[in-house]
Amino acid sequence: MSDEIVKYSNQFNNQALRKFTALDLDLLMAIASRVRDKGTDEVAFTFEELKRLAGLQRNMTNDEFAKQIANVNRRLLALNFEFQNEEHDIIQFALFAGFVTSPTKRTLTVSVNSRFSFLLNDLTSQFTRFELAEFTALRSSYAKECYRRLKQYRQTGVWKVSLEDFRRLLDVPKSYRPSEINKYVLKPIEEELGPLLNLKVHRKYLKKKPGRGRASLVGFEFEFDPEKVPAALPLRAWSCPAPW
């Protein structure tokens, strides 16, 4: 499993995966690692293979696992994946055209939506790449979702994001105040990704006029160790303007 690589278009990172559990995310990324560059061909997994790819530790019956897999696609279908093309048309779609789970055969068979297979095929630039085993080893769903966004900026080691976009992308409850974001969202991110990526999280505040109260939190800058680029390949100048 250590050689399995997840690779997809950066546009996929703009989609918030709402209500996805840590296991849901592991299964989705395991599937993504195998359907990459397969076009719209059907790709079949045995339950045992999918469990191994997702790093599943706990015991589940075939029926329980089938329900878990089906829930992943059910949540995907509920998302209404959306992006804008060059003409600024807003296009909504389902990621998978086929998604067949068989508890009897203990298999999953998937095929990517033909119109949007570009998200997982022929990726030569503007893509996110990471090791599946490293992703599945993370425990927190917030750490997993932050991790894959950081990997979009793996060559620069900086991800700047506004508080509004951070809430949306990581599916942070709207009711969370900054103190609760620190405790329930940023703490597990820093605990898991700090040692792994040498991650430092810088809170960004908007200063108010004197006498107008405390400065308000407006965003974050995630700083981590960039990946080394082979000498033959130039470092891409990824654009990451401050969102505040």
Side-chain angles (χ1 to χ4, degrees):
M1 189 172 70
S2 59
D3 295 332
E4 294 290 338
I5 297 296
V6 180
K7 185 177 176 183
Y8 54 73
S9 168
N10 287 343
Q11 292 192 57
F12 188 67
N13 282 335
N14 292 327
Q15 176 67 53
L17 298 179
R18 302 190 185 283
K19 301 187 184 303
F20 273 60
T21 66
L23 179 53
D24 291 336
L25 293 168
D26 289 341
L27 289 169
L28 178 59
M29 294 305 148
I31 294 167
S33 72
R34 286 294 177 89
V35 299
R36 175 171 54 88
D37 294 329
K38 296 295 192 303
T40 58
D41 294 343
E42 286 191 342
V43 178
F45 303 81
T46 65
F47 279 8
E48 290 306 312
E49 177 184 23
L50 195 53
K51 289 177 181 179
R52 179 179 59 82
L53 289 170
L56 183 62
Q57 299 296 321
R58 73 174 187 262
N59 292 324
M60 301 178 75
T61 66
N62 290 331
D63 285 341
E64 289 172 337
F65 191 56
K67 289 179 181 178
Q68 184 73 49
I69 296 170
N71 278 338
V72 172
N73 196 45
R74 196 171 289 120
R75 290 190 172 102
L76 286 172
L77 291 171
L79 290 178
N80 283 329
F81 275 82
E82 181 176 305
F83 78 97
Q84 287 188 323
N85 61 16
E86 294 179 355
E87 287 75 38
H88 301 289
D89 300 324
I90 299 175
I91 303 173
Q92 296 175 310
F93 64 98
L95 182 59
F96 296 111
F99 201 95
V100 180
T101 308
S102 173
T104 304
K105 297 178 182 177
R106 295 184 297 175
T107 60
L108 167 69
T109 304
V110 301
S111 58
V112 177
N113 186 320
S114 61
R115 188 172 181 184
F116 302 102
S117 64
F118 71 89
L119 288 170
L120 294 163
N121 293 280
D122 303 321
L123 300 172
T124 57
S125 64
Q126 303 297 308
F127 60 83
T128 297
R129 180 185 185 280
F130 54 83
E131 295 179 9
L132 178 60
E134 195 167 73
F135 179 88
T136 58
L138 300 172
R139 300 183 303 276
S140 164
S141 60
Y142 288 129
K144 290 176 186 290
E145 284 293 77
C146 184
Y147 170 90
R148 64 190 188 90
R149 266 80 186 196
L150 297 181
K151 286 297 182 174
Q152 178 175 339
Y153 300 97
R154 61 195 178 281
Q155 294 183 356
T156 62
V158 177
W159 179 38
K160 300 175 184 178
V161 60
S162 69
L163 176 60
E164 181 182 2
D165 281 344
F166 183 77
R167 284 184 182 274
R168 179 182 65 83
L169 292 172
L170 271 69
D171 195 24
V172 177
K174 293 180 180 180
S175 61
Y176 274 17
R177 295 169 295 182
S179 60
E180 292 169 311
I181 292 176
N182 280 329
K183 181 177 180 180
Y184 299 118
V185 181
L186 292 175
K187 184 178 179 181
I189 287 174
E190 292 175 305
E191 286 180 346
E192 293 203 69
L193 301 186
L196 181 65
L197 303 176
N198 193 25
L199 176 68
K200 297 177 180 62
V201 183
H202 307 289
R203 281 78 164 168
K204 298 299 178 180
Y205 295 90
L206 181 63
K207 294 182 179 179
K208 295 184 177 180
K209 294 180 181 180
R212 295 292 181 87
R214 291 164 37 177
S216 57
L217 179 69
V218 294
F220 306 97
E221 181 175 312
F222 293 84
E223 182 182 1
F224 57 102
D225 289 342
E227 292 183 7
K228 293 182 179 180
V229 180
L233 297 176
L235 179 66
R236 291 186 59 86
W238 292 102
S239 176
C240 186
W244 44 82

